[in-house]
Amino acid sequence: MSDNLFFNVSSRIKYTSQSKDWAVLPRIAIDYRIKEFTISATAGKYQQTSAKQYLVYNEHLTQENTMQYVLSMQNAITNYRVFRAELYYKKYDKLVTMYNNAFQSDGDGYSKGIDLLYKDGFSFSKGKSLEYMLTYSYNDSKRKYLEFQERVRPDFARKHNSSIILKYTNLSLKSIWGITNRFASGRPYHDPTKPGMMNSKTSKYNSLDVSWTFLAHKRLIIHASASNILNRDNVFGYHYDPALNPGGKYEAKPIKSYMQQFFIIGFFFSLSGNVAYE
């Protein structure tokens, strides 16, 4: 529309043979550039088929859909520096619900929040540099879906997530070292011994990860990384037995990763005309 203003309108027409229905999914996007920043606003309707494990019980489930609104701002990348901020709101409809072992498409919900990212760095001398990146996200989400007959926070939706990432490059040593510290607030879960739905929250999540990338040969890169080196006992939720034990309580089993710590060593050999260090 002008040198700094861009406007786009589009639509997707979709037919789903499983539910035998048509859908018109309009989308609109506006970008405005001011100095080194770009401000973007988008809105659109999106749709997806219900998961197969639910369709086998009810093949007439309708398409799950959402209206999404996003406002974002980011800078033009200069050297190392990147800044990005994003506000979003998503309204869900026709989510799968399950009452009395019958699956229906009468669920709904919303998700709203903000995502922030800042990346920068500097060079010490030729071939030596340090980069760092800070991220944070806030998410408020509630959904009426599956066995929940009212809107609740899903067990996968943490309110707060953040990370600190450092990367040091030393070309004279042919190496790149990385360290990442990730934090998150607790996940909601349902405790049948308390009133209400999704009425409890796990402890906070934290994982300190490290990595090393080494150019062993002009065609060979060795990469090694390890997660959760502090061996923190991260819990993602709890499973409760459906029946009371002899003591009159529900037995709770924590949900964890099958391995609290993990490491990998990879060897990447270039067979093409380009050598690895390119």
Side-chain angles (χ1 to χ4, degrees):
M1 301 181 70
S2 69
D3 289 344
N4 297 316
L5 182 63
F6 301 86
F7 182 71
N8 181 282
V9 176
S10 63
S11 183
R12 181 174 181 176
I13 300 176
K14 181 178 179 181
Y15 174 73
T16 308
S17 58
Q18 166 261 325
S19 55
K20 296 182 174 59
D21 62 357
W22 291 86
V24 178
L25 308 174
R27 288 142 198 203
I28 185 171
I30 300 174
D31 288 353
Y32 180 67
R33 295 177 184 173
I34 176 170
K35 294 184 179 179
E36 72 271 22
F37 289 95
T38 299
I39 301 173
S40 301
T42 63
K45 186 175 182 180
Y46 299 84
Q47 194 177 76
Q48 70 179 22
T49 305
S50 301
K52 292 181 180 179
Q53 62 262 36
Y54 309 134
L55 287 171
V56 296
Y57 295 102
N58 182 359
E59 63 180 8
H60 301 295
L61 293 173
T62 59
Q63 296 284 297
E64 300 178 335
N65 61 70
T66 174
M67 280 296 301
Q68 300 187 15
Y69 307 91
V70 180
L71 178 65
S72 63
M73 179 176 67
Q74 72 177 58
N75 70 318
I77 300 175
T78 57
N79 296 326
Y80 301 102
R81 185 170 299 166
V82 178
F83 171 76
R84 185 177 302 143
E86 184 172 286
L87 287 165
Y88 61 88
Y89 177 78
K90 303 177 183 181
K91 186 173 185 289
Y92 302 103
D93 195 20
K94 305 298 183 183
L95 300 180
V96 176
T97 57
M98 180 185 66
Y99 309 136
N100 300 322
N101 294 321
F103 289 90
Q104 304 173 44
S105 296
D106 60 351
D108 57 26
Y110 69 88
S111 179
K112 59 184 178 180
I114 182 171
D115 292 328
L116 300 173
L117 180 148
Y118 182 76
K119 178 184 176 184
D120 205 349
F122 49 88
S123 298
F124 296 106
S125 59
K126 186 176 181 180
K128 296 180 182 180
S129 64
L130 177 67
E131 298 176 56
Y132 63 91
M133 184 166 69
L134 310 174
T135 70
Y136 170 76
S137 67
Y138 169 81
N139 174 259
D140 177 20
S141 179
K142 288 189 176 181
R143 305 184 192 192
K144 172 188 171 185
Y145 79 122
L146 295 183
E147 71 272 20
F148 299 109
Q149 299 184 27
E150 60 186 62
R151 286 186 177 183
V152 297
R153 174 174 289 277
D155 57 5
F156 54 80
R158 301 180 186 269
K159 261 195 173 182
H160 306 277
N161 292 271
S162 62
S163 65
I164 301 172
I165 302 168
L166 297 174
K167 186 175 78 170
Y168 174 68
T169 301
N170 189 321
L171 296 184
S172 63
L173 298 178
K174 302 179 181 179
S175 295
I176 300 173
W177 290 274
I179 182 169
T180 300
N181 206 351
R182 292 178 289 153
F183 309 88
S185 56
R187 286 190 180 191
Y189 69 93
H190 180 66
D191 183 346
T193 65
K194 296 181 180 180
M197 303 296 294
M198 302 301 282
N199 48 27
S200 298
K201 191 166 61 173
T202 65
S203 58
K204 296 179 177 62
Y205 174 89
N206 180 225
S207 180
L208 182 64
D209 310 331
V210 295
S211 66
W212 175 41
T213 304
F214 176 64
L215 180 66
H217 183 268
K218 66 180 182 179
R219 292 188 178 276
L220 175 64
I221 291 176
I222 301 175
H223 176 78
S225 65
S227 67
N228 194 20
I229 61 173
L230 299 180
N231 198 28
R232 180 177 170 84
D233 188 24
N234 289 309
V235 176
F236 301 99
Y238 290 89
H239 277 310
Y240 283 84
D241 289 341
L244 296 172
N245 63 16
K249 296 182 179 181
Y250 292 98
E251 292 285 349
K253 299 176 181 177
I255 302 170
K256 302 180 181 181
S257 298
Y258 72 100
M259 284 188 293
Q260 291 284 12
Q261 294 177 296
F262 183 80
F263 76 90
I264 182 173
I265 300 176
F267 298 85
F268 302 91
F269 190 76
S270 175
L271 298 176
S272 67
N274 294 329
V275 293
Y277 59 73
E278 293 180 344

